[in-house]
């Protein structure tokens, strides 16, 4: 939890009251929690920090765990079910805790082929990737799509979803992740440490921008690789404030994307995972007490897949 916004050192272990379940909410005993860039931004005073209703505040959006209580006896989820999902943090307490109250619309049964730690790596990142690639970019067979930061949490799902639906995927990453992204379905990989993507890529239908202009004007340079009337979908919050104006001047369509808890879509992703069509990359699992370390890793970048926090041991 945090008592105020600031550096990673603000994260500390403390006791808080159990969450109170209301209306359609389910109480889940959290086994593992995903760590996402929005968590670090919020902790630092950006992200959704303005919506924190009071302090101390528990962060963490996505989770995997076991149902403790449900709204009514015939609810589709029952106590003891192994589930995963995401909540509306910080309006409610987050997943960096042993218990979370989450709307039924944001939780579903977790893949049977994943561990709790692996499952906790999925919801926010995979739903973000699905929303950007499938719902917004309308991915289809033969579509040319560039995914920036393809080896990251959202990126490695975006590459897989795009490839699954037949897109011709190009992804940017460091050289150490090139083989990994080829395995996930990328036709071409651009090593950003040795090549400038805008010098070797062109005529893309869509760019999934997971970086923005916070590093080497990645967002602005992406406009150069899109075909006329192509689409750029920029995901990081606050990373490229001038996107709409710059894109419009070039005749490029543009939009941001903000993820929402969505159990129905997460159930579809669950089937793809259990069928072996999508894999989950877990960079590392850290104990809850190492929350500050997890945030520093996320802020430094260069994470392959996701970082998760272990909240309690796996149930028997």
């Amino acid at each position: 939890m945090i008592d105020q916004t600031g550096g990673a050192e603000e994260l500390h272990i403390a006791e808080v009251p159990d969450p109170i379940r209301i209306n359609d909410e389910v109480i889940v005993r959290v086994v593992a929690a995903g760590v996402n860039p929005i968590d670090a931004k919020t902790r630092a005073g950006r992200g959704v920090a303005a919506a924190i209703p009071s302090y101390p505040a528990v962060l963490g959006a996505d989770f995997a765990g076991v149902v403790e209580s449900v709204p009514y006896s015939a609810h589709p989820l029952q106590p003891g079910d192994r589930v995963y999902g995401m909540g509306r943090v910080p309006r409610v307490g987050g997943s960096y805790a042993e218990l979370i109250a989450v709307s039924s619309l944001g939780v579903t049964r977790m893949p049977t082929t994943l561990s709790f730690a692996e499952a906790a790596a999925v919801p926010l990142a995979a739903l973000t990737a699905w929303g950007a690639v499938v719902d917004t970019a309308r991915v289809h067979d033969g579509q040319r799509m560039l995914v920036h930061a393809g080896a990251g949490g959202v990126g490695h799902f975006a590459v897989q979803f795009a490839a699954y639906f037949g897109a011709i995927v190009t992804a940017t990453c460091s050289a150490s992740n090139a083989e990994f992204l080829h395995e996930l379905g990328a036709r071409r990989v651009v090593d950003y440490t040795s090549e400038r993507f805008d010098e070797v890529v062109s005529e893309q239908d869509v760019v999934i921008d997971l970086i923005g202009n916070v590093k080497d004007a990645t967002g602005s340079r992406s406009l150069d690789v899109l075909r006329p009337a192509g689409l750029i979908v920029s995901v990081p919050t606050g990373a490229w404030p001038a996107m709409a104006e710059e894109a419009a001047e070039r005749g490029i369509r543009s939009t941001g994307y903000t993820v929402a808890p969505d159990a129905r879509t997460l159930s579809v992703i669950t089937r793809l995972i259990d069928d072996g069509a999508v894999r989950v990359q877990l960079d590392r699992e850290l104990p809850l007490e190492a929350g500050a370390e997890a945030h520093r890793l996320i802020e430094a970048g260069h994470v392959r897949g996701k970082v998760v926090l272990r909240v309690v041991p796996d149930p028997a």
Side-chain angles (χ1 to χ4, degrees), residues 30 33 57-63 89-90 92-101:
V30 178
V58 180
L59 303 180
D62 47 3
F63 59 87
V89 180
V92 296
S95 59
Y96 296 180
E98 292 172 314
L99 295 171
I100 185 171

Side-chain angles (χ1 to χ4, degrees), residues 77 82-85 104 106-110 263-264 266-267 270:
L77 298 176
R82 298 185 172 208
V83 296
Y84 71 158
S104 297
V107 60
T108 190
R109 289 179 178 81
M110 62 183 252
R264 290 184 178 182
L266 192 56
S267 294
T270 299

Side-chain angles (χ1 to χ4, degrees), residues 136-292:
T136 305
R138 303 293 184 184
V139 62
H140 56 267
D141 190 54
Q143 187 182 48
R144 295 161 297 181
M145 185 176 293
L146 171 64
V147 179
H148 286 307
V154 175
H156 86 289
F157 286 117
V159 167
Q160 292 181 86
F161 294 152
Y164 179 83
F165 287 105
I168 302 168
V169 183
T170 300
T172 62
C173 67
S174 62
S176 62
N177 285 317
E179 183 178 352
F180 169 63
L181 288 184
H182 280 305
E183 292 173 356
L184 297 187
R187 300 272 191 96
R188 182 177 185 181
V189 174
V190 178
D191 173 13
Y192 68 85
T193 66
S194 62
E195 293 182 294
R196 292 183 70 78
F197 70 87
D198 47 326
E199 295 178 353
V200 296
V201 177
S202 63
E203 292 298 307
Q204 297 296 294
D205 297 306
V206 177
V207 172
I208 304 297
D209 174 23
L210 303 175
I211 299 175
N213 270 0
V214 295
K215 183 176 181 181
D216 200 20
T218 297
S220 296
R221 289 165 52 214
S222 295
L223 300 178
D224 294 331
V225 309
L226 282 160
R227 64 167 174 79
L231 172 67
I232 184 162
V233 183
S234 189
V235 174
T237 55
W240 185 12
M243 175 189 67
E245 293 79 5
E246 289 185 39
E249 289 174 359
R250 303 283 296 277
I252 300 296
R253 294 174 297 139
S254 67
T255 183
Y257 179 76
T258 303
V259 68
D262 183 351
R264 290 184 178 182
T265 299
L266 192 56
S267 294
V268 175
I269 294 169
T270 299
R271 291 196 293 273
L272 292 176
I273 291 171
D274 278 341
D275 289 345
V278 171
R279 63 188 263 197
V280 180
Q281 180 65 32
L282 186 61
D283 185 278
R284 69 194 72 186
E285 174 188 331
L286 296 170
L288 186 63
E289 293 79 6

Side-chain angles (χ1 to χ4, degrees), residues 32-36 115-121 151 153 156 177 280-288 290-298 300-310:
V35 181
N36 298 282
S115 66
F116 282 100
E118 291 168 332
H156 86 289
N177 285 317
V280 180
Q281 180 65 32
L282 186 61
D283 185 278
R284 69 194 72 186
E285 174 188 331
L286 296 170
L288 186 63
E293 180 185 350
H295 274 219
R296 292 187 184 103
L297 285 168
I298 291 295
H302 311 299
V303 170
R304 178 187 286 187
K306 288 291 297 292
V307 174
V308 303
L309 293 174
R310 166 67 61 169

